Amino acid sequence: MTGEVTLDPEEWDEASMAFHQAVDRCILEMRSVRNRPVWQKFPENIKNLLQTDVPQEPRSLSELCTFFCESLLPYSNGNTHPRFFGWVHGSGNIAGVAGEMLAAFMNANLGGRDHAAVYIERQVLNWCKQIFSFPVVSSGLVTTGTSMSTLIALTVARNVFAGGDVQKIGLANLPARLVGYTSSEAHCSVAKAFDQLGLGQDALRRIPADNSFRLDTNALLKNIQDDRAAGYQPICVTASAGTVNTGAIDDLETIAQICREQNLWMHVDGAFGGLAILSDTHKDSLKGIEQADSIAFDFHKWLHVPYDAGCVLIKNEAAHRKAYSSRMEYLSGSENGLAGGDPWFCEYGPELSRGFRALKVWFTLQTYGLNQFAKLIEQNCRQAKYLSSLVTANSELEMLAEVSLNIACFRYIGSELAPSVMNKLNAAIVTELQTEGVAAPSTTTIRGCTAIRVAITNHRTVMEDMDTIVAEVCRLGRKQLCQ
Amino acid sequence: MTGEVTLDPEEWDEASMAFHQAVDRCILEMRSVRNRPVWQKFPENIKNLLQTDVPQEPRSLSELCTFFCESLLPYSNGNTHPRFFGWVHGSGNIAGVAGEMLAAFMNANLGGRDHAAVYIERQVLNWCKQIFSFPVVSSGLVTTGTSMSTLIALTVARNVFAGGDVQKIGLANLPARLVGYTSSEAHCSVAKAFDQLGLGQDALRRIPADNSFRLDTNALLKNIQDDRAAGYQPICVTASAGTVNTGAIDDLETIAQICREQNLWMHVDGAFGGLAILSDTHKDSLKGIEQADSIAFDFHKWLHVPYDAGCVLIKNEAAHRKAYSSRMEYLSGSENGLAGGDPWFCEYGPELSRGFRALKVWFTLQTYGLNQFAKLIEQNCRQAKYLSSLVTANSELEMLAEVSLNIACFRYIGSELAPSVMNKLNAAIVTELQTEGVAAPSTTTIRGCTAIRVAITNHRTVMEDMDTIVAEVCRLGRKQLCQ
């Protein structure tokens, strides 16, 4: 009809051409990433270019793609580079990109209903149950990441152990004060979840870690008993399978036993470390994870699925569904037609509209197969061990924690430096490594000492990169001392 | 080094070819979507094919792409089709797909740090502030959708009005019981947020809607006063800018005044309707939205950004940041280098790892410009009005609610049918429309009556599609009566 408008292009071939050119440029970038600086500061003149009023008139898609490839892509946070070792980032993979692109074309809403995408997400979840030896009747959800997964799992734990219908009446009307436990090395997302849930961060008891940075299970048991004696109601323990500081894995078997005996929900934050279960060398250290009530982990870390994608698995499907199921009239299901497909995913998490992030996971797992990931995880752990051996053999450097998985924390000590100087010096070395674009480790604090933290969740890293980082840290340490 | 593995392909050209073929197929599908059934049942034999064990060995990316295009893409939930009118789904757009693909190649983590992607998200948020006349110092976040946006906004509201440090001590230790308000027509995500936050669903007072399905502001004021008299502490009002059932927009100016006088947080759920502010015809009905303390809305609905992408805007930046800022040592910022870029987005929401969903929004807004969206929104509203006129003129049909925006709720009445029969009949008509692939409206209940609900957030719909759906509903109504 005359005058009707649409977002579909008049010239499809132009749009198609923009896509093909962008694909070629991005693949070229991916192939040659090692030759680029790990990180480079985003130039002020491009920042200024971005600061426009909200666009009113159209622009050419092809020009926008070119602008992205030339002016934005080179200034990424660097995690696709083989010498990116900061925080815990995955490196991405081309099959995952294909999955993400196809999902965007399909534009499915995974909130619910009966369509192909739903069956892919279900299958991805079934594979995850298989990986962690969870029963097939368990429920789960593909999420944006472990923070969201942990929030969902602890919501279910809260509701199950509330001692009243907390979903209806709220926490303030419950008979007892709820408390939970985790180690002092646990990730901040656990405390954020307690806060979000209205339990308050004080209700999360931070149990000291032992010398290996693992939760002290004797202290845990004593805390639980003390809390009960003081009238609190313990509800859950969150174990870490791979702490962010050092990669330590809590004693999951003992924690599982305590949870069983004390009738507590056992949640495992396995953001990256959980997937070490794929490695023959490391799977024993994860024994007990199959006894958890819930597991949270990321696809975008050690499986290198493009950001963002994580997962939560929960054994008690009914409790999981009860926590989030409240569809309105307009969301009524039906036996047949598009409104079928029960249960809907929106009944298992806080989101009603949900993108098809399961597809990039499905593509990644199918294209490479788990065996390849097992090899990569072992390879990263060997690299961390090798780095540790280089550090130990170098008199200018010092390890700050034992390598238990894929994270090496060390520092430059030079000779006879005061502790306060050393902390500033090592922070400066890390900033300089990043600024020069040589490598991107991050920093953390281990027992008061600023550490250069090399976390290797990177399928492009090779052993030789460890030699490079050691040499560069020493060079920059000496340089800083001369200034 | 010998034996080292990676996910990068040995044959890049093969991977590249797989991409190019997939792009061509998907664009062809997008171009010809009108010729396809809106929805078709996902075949059992393909469902069965998906049910494999977790893959251990590699597969060809090109084969997987082909499988997706042939066996999954045709069985989508149909929202890219011009006659998809179910729930409130956007239709997607090719510029948004390009943005999503480029974001996947870049693989940025938008949790924080100093890199180009961060500046794109900031710019998208600044544009949104401009659209809603929010001060430039407001904060915001690109989210997965309005459910998450509302959860974030209400978290901040809870914390600001708790009357104690609820983040630390929890709800159970506060001096008073917190309560909030919304209309009986409000979206279930508001109640879900109250539940998630530990306030409990009872603490959300459901104020009756008036005859136009808008929150009754007199009843609101009385409820607030009654609650105060009973010792409760009112904290917030959630207004709807476009209810899901009928598209009604609450009286935002009056609600803003009540919130100001009563010292309450005003949150607006503008999931789809908020963006009617772009339309000259409808912007007056949104007057007062600029006075809200927070707004939640979706990019994946009326801006047709591929799923998922939503937004929250919050005027009190400090309160917003306080609600979510708790970085650990390993996340310490620094003045320079990659760890710069303060503030980090992870300080404004529950997620630490965050994908680059801002890019597909940026691409969509830049490629088309707001003027085009204004035209499309007006066009969809005109289509709903036109449908309403067709229904009114047809003796077999009956409107169940006035069209205030883009949603028409009506039903087939034939002649002299009993109400109970009519509800079943109309539900059956909708299922049949979907099953035949002719059109995909959904159902809802309006004052006890099952309605055929046609929600038009679709840039491919033309006026003629309204004639089609009326004719088809009548045909199927008659057919059902003959059975």
Side-chain angles (χ1 to χ4, degrees):
Chain A
M1 191 177 281
T2 322
E4 274 170 314
V5 291
T6 170
L7 299 182
D8 285 338
E10 279 175 45
E11 297 297 334
W12 283 95
D13 291 345
E14 236 176 81
S16 172
M17 184 83 79
F19 257 86
H20 288 298
Q21 284 174 353
V23 164
D24 287 339
R25 291 192 75 141
C26 287
I27 289 183
L28 187 63
E29 170 84 17
M30 200 181 248
R31 291 178 74 151
S32 56
V33 62
R34 182 176 278 280
N35 309 326
R36 307 186 46 77
V38 181
W39 178 81
Q40 46 189 336
K41 201 167 166 54
F42 190 41
E44 293 299 322
N45 65 319
I46 309 179
K47 278 187 207 171
N48 293 338
L49 268 183
L50 295 179
Q51 289 171 31
T52 62
D53 279 345
V54 57
Q56 300 289 348
E57 299 305 325
R59 278 183 65 181
S60 135
L61 176 59
S62 156
E63 276 171 36
L64 289 168
C65 288
T66 303
F67 178 78
F68 175 85
C69 293
E70 287 176 0
S71 301
L72 301 176
L73 190 56
Y75 306 101
S76 75
N77 59 210
N79 50 311
T80 57
H81 191 284
R83 277 194 303 278
F84 184 93
F85 307 123
W87 306 279
V88 185
H89 282 39
S91 331
N93 78 81
I94 197 158
V97 179
E100 184 79 311
M101 177 190 75
L102 295 171
F105 270 116
M106 191 181 213
N107 196 32
N109 180 344
L110 278 274
R113 290 164 281 271
D114 193 12
H115 51 104
V118 165
Y119 295 87
I120 295 289
E121 180 158 347
R122 286 192 189 147
Q123 194 52 33
V124 165
L125 292 169
N126 284 337
W127 290 343
C128 294
K129 294 174 202 169
Q130 213 183 327
I131 290 172
F132 289 105
S133 302
F134 259 44
V136 71
V137 294
S138 311
S139 50
L141 200 68
V142 175
T143 65
T144 51
T146 294
S147 293
M148 191 49 59
S149 297
T150 288
L151 177 63
I152 292 170
L154 295 182
T155 302
V156 183
R158 179 196 70 178
N159 296 356
V160 166
F161 288 98
D165 188 355
V166 65
Q167 296 189 251
K168 189 170 147 53
I169 65 174
L171 285 165
N173 294 306
L174 292 180
R177 300 289 180 267
L178 313 181
V179 291
Y181 307 86
T182 198
S183 95
S184 54
E185 289 290 304
H187 193 261
C188 51
S189 56
V190 186
K192 271 181 106 160
F194 266 65
D195 173 355
Q196 183 81 75
L197 287 168
L199 296 163
Q201 299 201 9
D202 284 353
L204 178 66
R205 315 304 201 192
R206 306 299 290 251
I207 311 298
D210 64 18
N211 287 336
S212 313
F213 303 97
R214 303 166 81 197
L215 186 148
D216 178 337
T217 50
N218 291 322
L220 170 65
L221 193 56
K222 182 167 183 320
N223 260 265
I224 295 168
Q225 289 160 342
D226 288 352
D227 274 331
R228 285 206 207 278
Y232 290 100
Q233 183 172 347
I235 58 170
C236 60
V237 180
T238 300
S240 306
T243 61
V244 283
N245 273 340
T246 69
I249 297 172
D250 287 343
D251 178 352
L252 303 178
E253 281 199 300
T254 303
I255 293 172
Q257 192 188 337
I258 292 173
C259 285
R260 208 163 42 241
E261 289 170 3
Q262 295 288 326
N263 190 30
L264 300 176
W265 185 282
M266 176 179 174
H267 175 63
V268 176
D269 170 357
F272 66 98
L275 285 163
I277 202 166
L278 298 179
S279 134
D280 282 339
T281 314
H282 292 277
K283 69 179 175 197
D284 278 354
S285 58
L286 286 156
K287 258 194 190 159
I289 199 168
E290 74 288 349
Q291 297 178 53
D293 294 289
S294 54
I295 301 179
F297 67 98
D298 282 322
F299 297 116
H300 54 222
K301 292 190 170 98
W302 242 344
L303 294 183
H304 304 292
V305 171
Y307 281 92
D308 42 33
C311 185
V312 62
L313 296 178
I314 294 186
K315 275 196 188 138
N316 186 338
E317 185 275 339
H320 186 186
R321 190 172 186 181
K322 184 173 180 302
Y324 287 104
S325 183
S326 57
R327 287 203 234 159
M328 298 171 73
E329 286 297 345
Y330 90 110
L331 297 171
S332 297
S334 84
E335 264 182 65
N336 301 303
L338 179 49
D342 262 342
W344 288 15
F345 285 119
C346 65
E347 299 178 86
Y348 296 94
E351 284 140 351
L352 180 52
S353 292
R354 301 177 62 251
F356 190 12
R357 48 179 72 64
L359 190 63
K360 58 189 172 186
V361 182
W362 189 85
F363 261 80
T364 300
L365 289 173
Q366 293 263 32
T367 302
Y368 305 104
L370 280 192
N371 287 341
Q372 183 77 340
F373 290 105
K375 282 183 207 159
L376 281 167
I377 288 167
E378 300 232 348
Q379 178 169 294
N380 284 164
C381 295
R382 273 202 310 276
Q383 287 160 346
K385 282 272 189 212
Y386 176 61
L387 174 56
S388 167
S389 72
L390 293 176
V391 167
T392 307
N394 189 316
S395 63
E396 287 175 275
L397 305 174
E398 174 185 68
M399 287 300 292
L400 287 174
E402 202 187 331
V403 170
S404 45
L405 211 58
N406 62 328
I407 300 176
C409 288
F410 65 102
R411 62 176 175 171
Y412 183 80
I413 49 171
S415 51
E416 296 179 48
L417 291 172
S420 61
V421 179
M422 245 189 298
N423 284 355
K424 276 182 74 172
L425 180 78
N426 279 281
I429 290 172
V430 167
T431 301
E432 192 76 5
L433 281 169
Q434 293 171 0
T435 312
E436 287 190 4
V438 172
S442 55
T443 59
T444 194
T445 306
I446 307 275
R447 300 196 180 101
C449 304
T450 298
I452 300 173
R453 179 174 164 283
V454 171
I456 318 173
T457 43
N458 194 321
H459 66 81
R460 297 193 177 99
T461 305
V462 296
M463 282 292 182
E464 215 180 312
D465 291 314
M466 301 298 108
D467 299 287
T468 305
I469 194 165
V470 163
E472 293 293 316
V473 165
C474 290
R475 175 180 67 81
L476 289 170
R478 283 177 226 132
K479 182 179 151 197
Q480 290 281 336
L481 286 177
C482 294
Q483 277 174 352
Chain B
M1 192 176 281
T2 323
E4 274 171 313
V5 290
T6 171
L7 300 182
D8 284 337
E10 279 176 44
E11 298 297 334
W12 282 95
D13 290 346
E14 236 175 82
S16 171
M17 186 83 80
F19 258 86
H20 288 296
Q21 284 173 353
V23 165
D24 287 338
R25 292 191 75 140
C26 287
I27 289 183
L28 187 64
E29 170 85 17
M30 200 181 248
R31 291 178 75 152
S32 56
V33 62
R34 182 175 280 279
N35 309 327
R36 306 186 47 77
V38 181
W39 178 82
Q40 46 190 334
K41 201 167 164 55
F42 190 40
E44 293 299 323
N45 65 320
I46 309 180
K47 278 187 208 172
N48 292 339
L49 268 183
L50 294 179
Q51 289 171 30
T52 62
D53 279 345
V54 56
Q56 300 288 349
E57 299 305 325
R59 278 184 64 181
S60 135
L61 176 59
S62 157
E63 276 171 35
L64 289 168
C65 288
T66 303
F67 177 79
F68 175 85
C69 293
E70 285 175 2
S71 302
L72 302 176
L73 190 55
Y75 307 101
S76 75
N77 58 210
N79 50 310
T80 58
H81 192 284
R83 276 194 303 276
F84 183 93
F85 307 123
W87 306 279
V88 185
H89 281 39
S91 329
N93 78 81
I94 196 159
V97 179
E100 185 80 311
M101 177 189 76
L102 295 171
F105 269 115
M106 192 181 213
N107 195 32
N109 179 343
L110 278 274
R113 288 163 284 270
D114 193 14
H115 50 105
V118 165
Y119 295 87
I120 296 289
E121 180 158 349
R122 287 192 190 147
Q123 195 53 34
V124 165
L125 292 169
N126 284 337
W127 289 344
C128 294
K129 294 173 201 169
Q130 212 182 329
I131 290 171
F132 289 105
S133 302
F134 258 44
V136 71
V137 294
S138 312
S139 51
L141 200 68
V142 174
T143 66
T144 51
T146 294
S147 293
M148 191 49 59
S149 297
T150 288
L151 178 62
I152 291 170
L154 295 183
T155 302
V156 183
R158 178 195 71 177
N159 297 356
V160 166
F161 288 98
D165 188 356
V166 64
Q167 296 189 251
K168 189 172 148 52
I169 64 174
L171 285 165
N173 293 305
L174 291 180
R177 300 290 181 266
L178 313 182
V179 292
Y181 308 86
T182 198
S183 94
S184 55
E185 290 289 305
H187 193 262
C188 52
S189 56
V190 186
K192 270 182 107 159
F194 266 65
D195 173 355
Q196 182 81 73
L197 287 168
L199 297 163
Q201 300 201 9
D202 285 354
L204 178 67
R205 315 306 202 191
R206 308 297 293 249
I207 310 299
D210 63 19
N211 287 336
S212 314
F213 302 97
R214 303 166 79 195
L215 185 148
D216 179 337
T217 50
N218 290 321
L220 170 65
L221 192 57
K222 183 168 181 320
N223 259 266
I224 294 169
Q225 288 160 343
D226 289 352
D227 275 331
R228 285 205 206 278
Y232 291 101
Q233 182 172 346
I235 58 171
C236 60
V237 180
T238 300
S240 305
T243 62
V244 283
N245 273 341
T246 69
I249 298 172
D250 287 343
D251 178 352
L252 303 178
E253 280 198 301
T254 303
I255 293 172
Q257 193 188 337
I258 291 173
C259 285
R260 207 164 40 242
E261 289 169 4
Q262 296 287 326
N263 190 29
L264 300 176
W265 185 282
M266 175 178 173
H267 175 63
V268 176
D269 171 356
F272 66 97
L275 285 163
I277 202 166
L278 299 179
S279 132
D280 282 338
T281 314
H282 292 276
K283 69 179 174 194
D284 278 355
S285 59
L286 286 156
K287 258 194 190 160
I289 199 169
E290 74 289 347
Q291 297 177 54
D293 294 290
S294 54
I295 301 178
F297 66 97
D298 282 322
F299 297 115
H300 54 222
K301 293 192 169 97
W302 242 344
L303 294 183
H304 304 291
V305 171
Y307 280 92
D308 45 31
C311 185
V312 62
L313 295 177
I314 295 187
K315 276 196 187 137
N316 186 339
E317 185 276 339
H320 185 187
R321 190 173 185 180
K322 184 174 181 302
Y324 287 105
S325 183
S326 57
R327 287 203 235 159
M328 296 173 73
E329 286 297 346
Y330 91 110
L331 297 171
S332 296
S334 83
E335 266 182 59
N336 301 303
L338 179 51
D342 262 339
W344 289 13
F345 285 119
C346 65
E347 301 178 86
Y348 297 94
E351 285 140 351
L352 181 50
S353 292
R354 301 177 62 250
F356 190 12
R357 43 179 75 65
L359 190 63
K360 58 189 172 186
V361 182
W362 190 85
F363 262 81
T364 300
L365 289 173
Q366 292 264 31
T367 303
Y368 305 104
L370 281 192
N371 287 340
Q372 184 77 340
F373 290 105
K375 282 183 207 161
L376 281 167
I377 287 167
E378 300 231 348
Q379 179 169 292
N380 284 163
C381 294
R382 273 201 311 275
Q383 287 160 347
K385 283 271 188 211
Y386 177 61
L387 174 56
S388 165
S389 73
L390 293 177
V391 167
T392 308
N394 190 315
S395 64
E396 287 175 274
L397 304 174
E398 173 185 68
M399 286 301 292
L400 288 173
E402 201 189 331
V403 171
S404 44
L405 212 57
N406 61 328
I407 300 176
C409 288
F410 64 101
R411 62 175 177 174
Y412 183 80
I413 49 172
S415 51
E416 295 178 49
L417 291 172
S420 62
V421 180
M422 243 186 297
N423 283 355
K424 277 183 75 172
L425 179 78
N426 280 282
I429 291 172
V430 168
T431 301
E432 191 77 5
L433 280 170
Q434 294 170 1
T435 311
E436 288 191 2
V438 171
S442 55
T443 60
T444 193
T445 306
I446 306 276
R447 299 197 180 99
C449 303
T450 298
I452 300 173
R453 178 175 165 285
V454 172
I456 319 172
T457 43
N458 194 320
H459 65 82
R460 298 193 176 99
T461 305
V462 296
M463 282 291 181
E464 216 181 310
D465 291 313
M466 302 298 107
D467 299 286
T468 305
I469 194 163
V470 163
E472 292 295 315
V473 165
C474 290
R475 175 180 66 83
L476 289 169
R478 284 177 226 131
K479 181 180 150 198
Q480 290 281 337
L481 287 178
C482 294
Q483 278 174 351

